[in-house]
Short mmCIF file of all heavy atoms in Angstrom, two decimals:
data_model
loop_
_atom_site.label_atom_id
_atom_site.label_comp_id
_atom_site.label_asym_id
_atom_site.label_seq_id
_atom_site.Cartn_x
_atom_site.Cartn_y
_atom_site.Cartn_z
N LYS A 197 188.58 -38.19 63.52
CA LYS A 197 187.45 -37.29 63.75
C LYS A 197 186.55 -37.15 62.52
O LYS A 197 186.84 -37.70 61.46
CB LYS A 197 187.99 -35.91 64.18
CG LYS A 197 188.67 -35.93 65.57
CD LYS A 197 189.04 -34.52 66.01
CE LYS A 197 189.70 -34.52 67.39
NZ LYS A 197 190.06 -33.16 67.84
N CYS A 200 188.38 -34.25 59.98
CA CYS A 200 189.83 -34.13 59.82
C CYS A 200 190.48 -35.46 60.18
O CYS A 200 189.79 -36.39 60.61
CB CYS A 200 190.40 -33.01 60.69
SG CYS A 200 190.18 -33.30 62.46
N CYS A 202 192.63 -36.08 62.59
CA CYS A 202 193.08 -36.21 63.98
C CYS A 202 192.54 -37.50 64.58
O CYS A 202 191.39 -37.86 64.37
CB CYS A 202 192.58 -35.04 64.82
SG CYS A 202 193.38 -33.49 64.45
N VAL A 215 194.64 -32.02 67.92
CA VAL A 215 193.99 -30.90 67.24
C VAL A 215 194.77 -30.51 65.99
O VAL A 215 195.97 -30.76 65.88
CB VAL A 215 193.88 -29.66 68.17
CG1 VAL A 215 192.90 -29.92 69.29
CG2 VAL A 215 195.24 -29.28 68.73
N CYS A 216 194.04 -29.91 65.04
CA CYS A 216 194.65 -29.44 63.81
C CYS A 216 193.88 -28.19 63.36
O CYS A 216 192.87 -27.85 63.99
CB CYS A 216 194.59 -30.53 62.74
SG CYS A 216 192.94 -30.80 62.10
N CYS A 219 189.90 -28.93 63.11
CA CYS A 219 189.05 -29.08 64.30
C CYS A 219 189.26 -27.93 65.28
O CYS A 219 188.49 -27.78 66.23
CB CYS A 219 189.20 -30.45 64.95
SG CYS A 219 190.84 -30.92 65.45
ZN1 LIG B 809 191.72 -32.13 63.59
#
Side-chain angles (χ1 to χ4, degrees):
K197 293 187 179 180
C200 63
C202 289
V215 291
C216 72
C219 58

